Amino acid sequence: FYYDTGVDHVEVKAGSVTGTDVAISGLGNVVSCPGPITLPPVTIGNKGASAVSGIVVNWSANGVAQTPVSVPGTLAPCAATTANLGSTTLPAGGSVEVKAWVSVTGDGNAANDTVTQLYFPSLQGTYTVNSASPTGGTNFNSFTDMANIISAAGVCGPTVVNVVPNSGPYSEKIEFGEISGASSVNTITINGNGERINFNGSSGQRACFLLNG
């Protein structure tokens, strides 16, 4: 008895399509207090089968067009390079949405041409949790809002969150991810002030307050 398993034919293609296909990725998170920030570089990749030149990276901040960035030279098939967009400003108590997109003559795949990142200023100072007020400025409407924003934005200084007395109880499950910038100096203190968090758990979800980072 003889058994043979093999691959008779392998075809390797230089890119994802036979025409032009330039993709963009990047714009990672930034941990910063309110003020000017330098944006992370974006990566430009040639997914097509032919070399490409004349690539331009356009970008905007909160819908306001910024100065485009030209990618120098020619990008070979399957090659990648980076482009620095520049800087923008994180407003105190607000956010900025950065959108970047590539443009090049003949690009046949628009699905990978755009990347968007929402930046929040990192937290420092004193905040509140108050269900009677919306999330904004220095207040969080819920513990979930607080956890989501702190996990996304990180902290850049000691941060204190006071739960407003008589604002509860709060019925929710709270989960914190990894918090950038947190340290023995940049501590996070939550003062419950006697308020309660209620959560009807199950065998698969017992935790009401989860640190997952």
Side-chain angles (χ1 to χ4, degrees):
F1 179 81
Y2 181 77
Y3 185 79
D4 182 20
T5 301
V7 178
D8 295 328
H9 177 71
V10 176
E11 181 179 0
V12 179
K13 295 183 178 180
S16 62
V17 294
T18 56
T20 301
D21 183 10
V22 177
I24 186 172
S25 60
L27 280 182
N29 193 30
V30 173
V31 177
S32 175
C33 288
I37 61 167
T38 299
L39 295 170
V42 293
T43 299
I44 311 301
N46 184 358
K47 306 296 184 180
S50 303
V52 179
S53 60
I55 302 170
V56 176
V57 182
N58 306 281
W59 68 288
S60 63
N62 280 346
V64 179
Q66 307 295 313
T67 303
V69 178
S70 296
V71 178
T74 299
L75 198 60
C78 298
T81 187
T82 58
N84 295 312
L85 301 183
S87 62
T88 188
T89 300
L90 282 177
S95 62
V96 58
E97 182 182 71
V98 175
K99 175 182 177 182
W101 64 99
V102 289
S103 60
V104 64
T105 301
D107 193 334
N109 182 14
N112 56 13
D113 288 351
T114 303
V115 63
T116 303
Q117 179 73 39
L118 185 63
Y119 294 102
F120 295 92
S122 299
L123 279 65
Q124 67 169 349
T126 302
Y127 299 81
T128 57
V129 172
N130 184 2
S131 61
S133 298
T135 296
T138 59
N139 183 71
F140 304 105
N141 177 259
S142 65
F143 281 91
T144 299
D145 286 355
M146 175 190 67
N148 288 343
I149 291 176
I150 289 180
S151 297
V155 295
C156 59
T159 302
V160 177
V161 181
N162 294 314
V163 182
V164 174
N166 301 315
S167 64
Y170 292 84
S171 299
E172 52 187 319
K173 175 184 177 179
I174 307 154
E175 181 174 347
F176 287 88
E178 182 176 356
I179 302 174
S180 300
S183 67
S184 59
V185 175
N186 295 344
T187 57
I188 301 169
T189 303
I190 301 174
N191 296 317
N193 291 321
E195 294 304 309
R196 296 179 58 184
I197 300 173
N198 298 327
F199 173 67
N200 294 323
S202 64
S203 59
Q205 296 189 27
R206 298 181 183 278
C208 172
F209 196 102
L210 180 62
L211 301 178
N212 185 22

